Amino acid sequence: MSSRWKKVWADFWSNKGRTFLTVMTIMVGTFAVGFNNNMGLYMLESMDKDYLSAQPSEAEIYTSSFDDEMVKTAGETPGVNGVEGSRSISARIVRANGEYVDIRFTALEDPAQQRLNLLKPAAGETSIPHYGDRETVFDASALSLGYQPGDTLVVELDNGKRRELKLAGYVHAVTGFPYSLAKTVFAYVTPETLEWMGGSRLYDMLAVSVAENPTDAEHVTAVAQAVAERMKRAGAEVYFVNVYQPGHHFAWNITQGIFFVLSVLGYLTVLLSCFLIVNTVTALMTQQTRQIGIMKAVGGDTLQIAGMYAVLILGFGLGALLIAIPLANLAAEEIGGGMAAWLNFYTEPYKGYPSSVVQQAAVALGVPLLAALYPIYSSARMTVREALSDYGLGGNARPKASSVSKSATLLPRPIRISVRNTFRRKTRLALTLFTLILGGAVFIGVYNLWESFDKVIEDIQGYFLADINFNFGRGYRFDKVAAVAEGVAGVKGVEGWLEYPGTLKMGGKDESGTQIVFVAPPSTSTLIDPIITSGRWLEPGDENAIVIGNHLLNMFPDLKVGDWLTVEINGKETRWHIVGVYSITGNV
C-alpha cells in the first residue's frame, strides 16, 4: 500500500469515534430512503396481486330483494363484465364472558362457484374448509378472537333469538374489511343456514365488475348507474350505489399517502445529513491543514490530495451502505408484513428491489461526496505557504485594533473572543445554523403533522358523537322506541335519525342520476358537530332545506349555497334548497 493510501486508511480507522458518527450520519438517511422505498414496493405489489387474484367487483348496488332473473337482467347491461348477487344479515356473537362481537353472515352455496370477490384458503391451508348446514367459516382476520375449528358459537339475532353454529374453519376474504378495522367478523354460511337464522334466499346486494377501465372511477360509476337504472325499471328499489377505489384494495389510497409522507421525511433526513457531513469534513480539513501543506511540499498536487479525501468520504459512505441495505430490507419485510396482516392481505415472499439499492447507493456514496466536494477542494488547493502558516480556525486573519469598537471593550474579553470566533468564518456559521434550523424544522413539521392528524380525527368524531347506534330493519314511531331506550339504566338521552335514499337529477352529463342518501338528524341534535365550510347548519322550521357535503361538491363543483336540487324519491321529483356545505375527511 502506497503512503497516501496508508494515510487514507489511518484517517478512516485511527479516529474510530469520528468514523462511527460519520458512518451513522450517512446510514440514517440511506436507511430511511431504502426502508420507505422497499416497504412501499413490497406492500403495494403484494396488495395488488392478492387483491386482484380474488377477481374483485368494482361497484356494489344495494337494493330491495331481487332474484336470479334480476341478476341475469343486470348482467346484460353494456359495459358489464360480470355480476353476482348476495344476501347478508347482521348478528352478534355471545362470548363466554358475556361480551358481544358483531358478525355479518353472507349466504354462499359453494365458494368454488363464485365469479366475483373470491374466497381463498387461509394462510397455511391448501383449500377452503367445507361447511354445511348450521356451520360457518370466518374470515381469517378474526383469528385474534381465539375461536378454533369445531367450536360452537352462540349467535344472537336482531330479533333477540339465539342460534348455535359450528365453526368449520377460516378463509381469506381479501375484498372485505378485516376485523382489526371494522370490529365486525365477516362470516359465510349456506343459504339454508341463513334462512334458518331469519334471512332470505333473495338477494339484497349486486356486485358489479366492468369489462374495461376497472380503475377509472367515473367509468365504473357510469356503468354501475346504468345497471341500477335497469334494475329500477325491472321493479327493484335501488338504495344506493357504492364505488370506492375501483380496481384497488380499500387501503391502497391510504398507503400511497403514507409512503409519500415517509419519503419526504426520508429525503429531508438525507438533506440534514448532508450539512452534518459538510461540517464534519470542514472540521477534518481544518484539522489537517498543515498535513496538506506537508504533502504539497513533498510533491503532492491538488487533485491527488482531493482524491485521497474523496476516497475517505466514499469509505464512510460504503460502510453506511453495507449497514443500511440489510437493515432496510429487514425492517421493510417485518413492518410491511405486520401492516399487511392488519389490512387483510397476504404478502409475497420478500425480495430485494434493485431500485431501492440504486437509491441507497446514490444517497450513501453520491450525496456525501457531492456535499464534501467544496470543502475538500477549497482545502486541497491551498499553497504550501498558506497551509504551513495557518493559525487554526481564524486562518491567517489578524484582528486589527481598529476593528474593535470602543463599546465592545465594555464586554468581558472571553465573551468578545467567543463572539468573534462565532462570526469569524461566516460559511461555517451558516452551515451550522442551517443544520440546526433544518433539524428543528423537521421536528416541528413531524409534530405538526401528528397534531393535524389528531385534529382531523377529532373533526370526524364530531359526526359520530352517539355512544350507541341502533339500525332498524323497518320504521318505528320514535316516541315508542325512545321510551324503551330511556327506560334502560345509564341512558342519558336518545335521538331519532332517519335515512332515506334518493336519486339526484342534475341533467347534462348526469342525466341517469346520482344515488344519494338523506341523513336527517333532529334540527336541535346534540349528537352531531359538523364542520360547516359555507352557509349554515339546519335550523328548526327549515323546510326542504339541505346541507350538502364536500364529496358532492367534488362531483359537481358548481353547486353553491342558495341553489336548488332536484331529487327523485319513490318515483316523485322533489326540490331541495341548499342552505350550507359541510366537510368530512375521507367521505367520497
Side-chain angles (χ1 to χ4, degrees):
M1 186 183 295
S2 64
S3 298
R4 56 176 175 163
W5 301 125
K6 287 181 181 179
K7 172 175 168 40
V8 172
W9 174 251
D11 287 340
F12 182 85
W13 194 248
S14 61
N15 193 333
K16 296 181 178 61
R18 181 186 63 202
T19 297
F20 175 78
L21 291 176
T22 306
V23 168
M24 288 298 103
T25 298
I26 300 172
M27 190 277 293
V28 168
T30 307
F31 167 78
V33 170
F35 167 70
N36 293 335
N37 196 64
N38 280 336
M39 192 167 72
L41 292 173
Y42 180 46
M43 286 191 61
L44 294 177
E45 177 187 43
S46 299
M47 182 186 295
D48 277 349
K49 187 169 184 179
D50 190 30
Y51 182 76
L52 295 177
S53 68
Q55 299 181 24
S57 60
E58 286 79 45
E60 297 173 343
I61 303 175
Y62 293 85
T63 72
S64 57
S65 298
F66 60 95
D67 56 15
D68 289 321
E69 190 63 32
M70 183 77 76
V71 174
K72 182 179 178 181
T73 300
E76 296 171 352
T77 307
V80 171
N81 180 53
V83 293
E84 194 164 74
S86 67
R87 181 83 184 193
S88 301
I89 63 170
S90 296
R92 298 190 302 175
I93 301 174
V94 183
R95 293 175 64 81
N97 58 5
E99 295 180 353
Y100 294 95
V101 175
D102 292 333
I103 186 169
R104 188 163 183 81
F105 293 100
T106 299
L108 192 60
E109 184 70 54
D110 183 5
Q113 301 299 318
Q114 276 185 284
R115 299 182 298 277
L116 299 175
N117 301 324
L118 307 182
L119 299 181
K120 299 194 295 183
E125 302 292 336
T126 57
S127 61
I128 295 175
H130 172 75
Y131 57 93
D133 189 30
R134 303 188 182 185
E135 292 183 333
T136 183
V137 291
F138 282 2
D139 175 38
S141 64
L143 275 166
S144 59
L145 292 174
Y147 291 111
Q148 299 297 323
D151 288 352
T152 298
L153 309 172
V154 178
V155 175
E156 184 175 279
L157 306 176
D158 287 343
N159 57 12
K161 295 181 179 179
R162 295 190 174 186
R163 296 285 188 268
E164 290 189 354
L165 295 172
K166 180 181 178 182
L167 179 63
Y170 289 91
V171 296
H172 177 45
V174 66
T175 59
F177 286 95
Y179 175 75
S180 57
L181 290 178
K183 296 304 178 185
T184 298
V185 180
F186 286 86
Y188 301 88
V189 295
T190 63
E192 292 79 12
T193 301
L194 191 77
E195 192 173 16
W196 169 67
M197 290 193 294
S200 169
R201 285 182 173 269
L202 297 175
Y203 309 124
D204 60 1
M205 191 277 286
L206 184 74
V208 180
S209 176
V210 298
E212 56 185 14
N213 301 327
T215 59
D216 185 343
E218 289 189 7
H219 172 71
V220 172
T221 301
V223 173
Q225 293 287 0
V227 174
E229 286 297 316
R230 176 167 288 202
M231 296 181 71
K232 286 172 64 176
R233 291 195 297 269
E237 182 181 357
V238 177
Y239 299 141
F240 63 92
V241 177
N242 180 39
V243 178
Y244 182 71
Q245 292 185 22
H248 293 293
H249 188 275
F250 74 87
W252 184 84
N253 210 14
I254 300 172
T255 52
Q256 291 281 78
I258 291 174
F259 293 136
F260 173 77
V261 172
L262 290 177
S263 296
V264 171
L265 293 176
Y267 279 101
L268 282 176
T269 305
V270 173
L271 182 60
L272 181 60
S273 69
C274 284
F275 290 97
L276 293 173
I277 291 166
V278 171
N279 284 338
T280 301
V281 173
T282 301
L284 174 64
M285 301 306 291
T286 301
Q287 181 186 19
Q288 299 197 1
T289 299
R290 295 198 175 188
Q291 294 184 28
I292 293 171
I294 294 172
M295 286 188 286
K296 283 207 165 185
V298 297
D301 60 32
T302 299
L303 290 179
Q304 284 180 320
I305 295 173
M308 291 169 54
Y309 288 102
V311 171
L312 177 63
I313 298 302
L314 290 175
F316 292 145
L318 183 60
L321 185 64
L322 294 177
I323 298 173
I325 288 178
L327 194 60
N329 283 330
L330 178 63
E333 183 177 8
E334 292 298 322
I335 298 177
M339 290 184 65
W342 192 59
L343 295 173
N344 198 33
F345 65 88
Y346 290 163
T347 57
E348 294 293 300
Y350 183 83
K351 61 181 184 298
Y353 295 94
S355 62
S356 295
V357 176
V358 171
Q359 290 186 50
Q360 288 177 286
V363 169
L365 303 177
V367 172
L369 185 59
L370 290 175
L373 277 180
Y374 177 75
I376 288 175
Y377 181 71
S378 62
S379 297
R381 64 192 293 268
M382 296 173 66
T383 65
V384 175
R385 181 190 62 78
E386 291 173 333
L388 295 181
S389 61
D390 180 70
Y391 288 91
L393 294 176
N396 296 320
R398 300 283 188 166
K400 299 179 180 179
S402 60
S403 66
V404 181
S405 65
K406 292 182 179 180
S407 59
T409 59
L410 299 176
L411 296 173
R413 184 175 179 81
I415 295 179
R416 294 204 308 270
I417 293 173
S418 299
V419 173
R420 185 169 66 240
N421 283 338
T422 300
F423 292 95
R424 188 188 299 273
R425 290 195 172 182
K426 296 180 177 58
T427 302
R428 181 192 63 196
L429 175 63
L431 288 172
T432 303
L433 286 177
F434 193 86
T435 301
L436 295 173
I437 291 169
L438 182 60
V442 171
F443 175 80
I444 293 172
V446 172
Y447 189 81
N448 284 341
L449 187 64
W450 180 11
E451 287 294 317
S452 67
F453 273 121
D454 280 349
K455 183 64 170 62
V456 169
I457 297 301
E458 183 180 339
D459 290 344
I460 293 175
Q461 289 175 341
Y463 294 90
F464 308 97
L465 295 178
D467 297 311
I468 302 173
N469 293 284
F470 288 96
N471 294 308
F472 299 107
R474 63 181 182 86
Y476 291 93
R477 287 178 56 90
F478 172 69
D479 54 354
K480 291 186 176 181
V481 294
V484 173
E486 290 171 342
V488 177
V491 174
K492 182 179 179 180
V494 297
E495 288 184 3
W497 289 37
L498 294 175
E499 290 188 4
Y500 210 82
T503 303
L504 179 62
K505 298 293 184 179
M506 295 295 293
K509 66 176 183 179
D510 195 61
E511 292 181 357
S512 61
T514 298
Q515 301 297 317
I516 65 172
V517 176
F518 285 99
V519 179
S523 58
T524 57
S525 174
T526 60
L527 298 181
I528 185 170
D529 183 18
I531 306 299
I532 301 298
T533 56
S534 63
R536 62 173 177 82
W537 185 240
L538 300 171
E539 296 177 351
D542 280 340
E543 292 186 4
N544 290 80
I546 186 173
V547 179
I548 64 173
N550 55 298
H551 52 293
L552 193 59
L553 283 181
N554 291 337
M555 299 175 61
F556 305 104
D558 294 333
L559 290 177
K560 60 184 182 299
V561 174
D563 289 350
W564 286 83
L565 297 179
T566 301
V567 181
E568 182 182 302
I569 303 175
N570 291 333
K572 180 182 178 182
E573 290 191 353
T574 58
R575 298 274 289 167
W576 298 85
H577 183 222
I578 300 177
V579 298
V581 178
Y582 74 89
S583 176
I584 180 170
T585 302
N587 197 9
V588 295

